[in-house]
Amino acid sequence: MAFTEIEMQRYKNLVAAFIEKRRPPLHIRPKLDLGFRVEGQSVEIFEIRPVWRNPEEKMEHPVAKATYVKTQDVWKVYWMRADLKWHAYTPLPEVAKLEEFLQLVDQDAHACFWG
């Protein structure tokens, strides 16, 4: 079941504020920027970069993902490994609130999200 409209707007606002705080300066954004999407029960944060062979084309590089599990009332936290698959963030695989997920990604204590 997807989020309600109110929940969706709240989550979008939270993540948008987080992204805005972490975005690179304007002159760097054509080469590196940040974005996010909220789909279904998941929030995904990604980097946006030009494709090496075709700089006019953009590609997304996943950074972090949180998926809400309503039956457990938790957000499951994931990071993208080199095998290009989402893996549970083993230092803290679940958080109670989306704000806690954003704090984990911001701090990146184990260099899983931002490298």
Side-chain angles (χ1 to χ4, degrees):
M1 180 176 179
F3 298 123
T4 67
E5 287 183 38
I6 293 170
E7 289 171 327
M8 180 71 83
Q9 193 57 52
R10 180 177 176 276
Y11 298 147
K12 284 182 178 180
N13 290 343
L14 281 170
V15 181
F18 170 80
I19 294 293
E20 195 56 40
K21 187 174 73 173
R22 288 209 50 126
R23 284 179 85 186
L26 280 171
H27 68 280
I28 295 175
R29 291 180 190 174
K31 303 233 183 244
L32 172 66
D33 204 354
L34 296 177
F36 76 95
R37 71 176 57 88
V38 180
E39 290 181 345
Q41 297 293 105
S42 295
V43 173
E44 184 180 342
I45 298 171
F46 51 87
E47 292 180 339
I48 304 166
R49 297 175 179 265
V51 173
W52 179 73
R53 292 182 183 252
N54 182 4
E56 300 301 315
E57 200 178 319
K58 301 288 183 187
M59 63 183 246
E60 295 176 0
H61 176 74
V63 172
K65 178 174 150 180
T67 300
Y68 183 67
V69 181
K70 188 172 187 164
T71 57
Q72 300 172 11
D73 194 27
V74 296
W75 288 86
K76 297 209 177 220
V77 179
Y78 300 94
W79 66 291
M80 180 71 69
R81 294 192 62 159
D83 64 3
L84 301 179
K85 294 181 182 175
W86 290 110
H87 293 265
Y89 182 65
T90 52
L92 191 59
E94 297 176 353
V95 293
K97 297 182 178 187
L98 185 61
E99 293 89 335
E100 294 174 40
F101 163 69
L102 296 173
Q103 187 176 13
L104 277 178
V105 174
D106 192 39
Q107 292 173 349
D108 197 15
H110 299 279
C112 293
F113 304 116
W114 305 107

